[in-house]
Amino acid sequence: MVKFGVNIGNLRLQNPILTASGTFGYGSEFAGFLDLNRLGGFCTKGISIKPRAGNPSPRIVETASGMLNSIGLENCGSEHFLNVVMPKIAGYSCAIIVNLYASSSEDFVELAKILSREPRIDAFEMNLSCPNVKEGGSAFGADPKLIEKLTRAVKSATEKPLIVKLSPNVTDIRETALAAEAGGADAVSLINTLIGTAVNREKRTFILGNKIGGLSGPAIKPVALRMVWQVAQAVKIPVIGIGGIMSIEDVLDFLIVGATAVQLGAVNFVNPSAAGECVDALERYLTERGEDIDSLIGSIR
Ligand SMILES: Cc1cc2nc3c(=O)[nH]c(=O)nc-3n(C[C@H](O)[C@H](O)[C@H](O)COP(=O)(O)O)c2cc1C
């Protein structure tokens, strides 16, 4: 048996294949398409303290090479999540990573405390692509000093491993990755979506109700791969690669440039079984070569 499991801080994943927040519901919605117990884990949709209705529609538009979304962090809120959603997913044996959404540092800390009551949550992933309402609405993800402070505050509010999810909408993503590491993050995950827009030429309007949205899918893979490679060289904590992963070949590329694990996002809309297929394919790839996962990770020459 080749070694297949990886560590994210003190969280042990049985394999490095995860699904990305916002593309996989709260997990159980996908149970008919793949065996969730086979995954390394899944990241839930971003959860906020109170429920959120999200942005006006249309909220998703297809482009030539990926999708634009402006869901606006619609979610059921922390109490409903703990009382109604958790009982439905607690029985799965893969890691459950809860994605955190808040619009102030205080709310991030409060949310981490509320959700830490649930022992079955294995880790938190903090979404930094959120507008910081108290600081005029600019995203948390662009300010290294704030990221360090916020990471330290959330880390001290919970015993669970904390993954900080970085925004690609910055000049040098290594600076924000290093800030998360300095604040005590157990890992960083990247990338979130790239901000874009789309126009309805007939009506001369924006297509998305929110005018702008986040681009995901195959279009962003080369950008994500470059950023993951750069960050993996800059930090000592594990890096989780995200962005346009559609197949086992994409998974391998991210692991080779230094990702310890990966998340599959937009592909779940096209092929909801993709993550399970990638687990099987990665196991086959390693077994055929008699290679352990550790020798694959960061093997770029
Ligand atoms: C419809 C949709 C909703 C998303 N919601 C969230 C979210 O709630 N929190 C978050 O951190 N990222 C969210 N994301 C970003 C994804 O988790 C992922 O980082 C991004 O889509 C890039 O990966 P991909 O190209 O494989 O989709 C969302 C993406 C999509 C497409």
Side-chain angles (χ1 to χ4, degrees):
M1 277 290 282
V2 293
K3 184 172 166 285
F4 201 31
V6 295
N7 290 332
I8 302 292
N10 56 18
L11 170 65
R12 180 76 182 161
L13 300 178
Q14 60 181 349
N15 66 65
I17 310 288
L18 306 165
T19 55
S21 175
T23 68
F24 205 70
Y26 299 114
S28 55
E29 295 90 333
F30 280 72
F33 297 102
L34 75 175
D35 179 3
L36 293 174
N37 299 308
R38 283 278 289 151
L39 296 177
F42 57 84
C43 299
T44 67
K45 173 71 189 157
I47 306 288
S48 49
I49 297 177
K50 299 263 181 265
R52 285 175 56 93
N55 285 332
S57 62
R59 309 204 289 191
I60 287 191
V61 52
E62 259 191 72
T63 73
S65 56
M67 64 189 270
L68 273 172
N69 89 83
S70 67
I71 306 297
L73 282 305
E74 175 183 346
N75 79 94
C76 63
S78 56
E79 286 307 321
H80 183 92
F81 178 76
L82 288 176
N83 298 330
V84 180
V85 178
M86 266 323 288
K88 290 188 201 155
I89 57 177
Y92 292 114
S93 60
C94 66
I96 299 176
I97 301 173
V98 174
N99 186 274
L100 307 179
Y101 170 83
S103 52
S104 72
S105 303
E106 293 76 13
D107 281 1
F108 266 122
V109 168
E110 174 68 17
L111 180 61
K113 283 186 185 158
I114 294 170
L115 294 172
S116 291
R117 297 199 317 247
E118 172 53 61
R120 185 59 192 87
I121 296 175
D122 293 297
F124 293 129
E125 179 181 58
M126 182 162 63
N127 178 4
L128 293 183
S129 300
C130 321
N132 183 354
V133 171
K134 291 214 172 128
E135 300 290 333
S138 63
F140 286 95
D143 180 345
K145 282 204 182 72
L146 179 61
I147 292 173
E148 182 177 339
K149 215 168 125 205
L150 175 62
T151 305
R152 189 165 291 124
V154 174
K155 195 57 199 159
S156 66
T158 181
E159 311 242 290
K160 295 186 191 292
L162 178 64
I163 302 162
V164 174
K165 182 165 177 180
L166 302 175
S167 166
N169 303 303
V170 295
T171 308
D172 185 348
I173 198 161
R174 286 169 293 197
E175 288 178 7
T176 49
L178 285 164
E181 182 176 51
D186 294 283
V188 284
S189 58
L190 59 141
I191 60 177
N192 212 313
T193 53
L194 286 151
I195 298 170
T197 192
V199 163
N200 179 329
R201 279 176 299 278
E202 286 298 305
K203 296 188 185 157
R204 302 209 175 174
T205 56
F206 291 98
I207 296 179
L208 291 169
N210 187 48
K211 297 191 177 129
I212 59 171
L215 183 65
S216 60
I220 72 169
K221 183 195 155 190
V223 177
L225 199 60
R226 184 265 296 176
M227 288 184 167
V228 166
W229 170 64
Q230 286 182 321
V231 168
Q233 291 178 93
V235 299
K236 295 186 187 68
I237 51 177
V239 176
I240 302 174
I242 322 167
I245 298 178
M246 304 299 284
S247 64
I248 181 62
E249 288 78 17
D250 296 328
V251 169
L252 292 171
D253 289 353
F254 276 89
L255 296 174
I256 288 169
V257 301
T260 297
V262 294
Q263 294 179 13
L264 277 61
V267 68
N268 296 311
F269 292 86
V270 186
N271 172 13
S273 312
E277 290 167 10
C278 284
V279 173
D280 293 341
L282 181 60
E283 200 167 26
R284 264 197 316 274
Y285 176 92
L286 293 173
T287 306
E288 276 166 20
R289 285 166 179 73
E291 183 177 11
D292 278 344
I293 188 80
D294 295 338
S295 83
L296 177 66
I297 293 169
S299 57
I300 190 87
R301 285 195 271 266

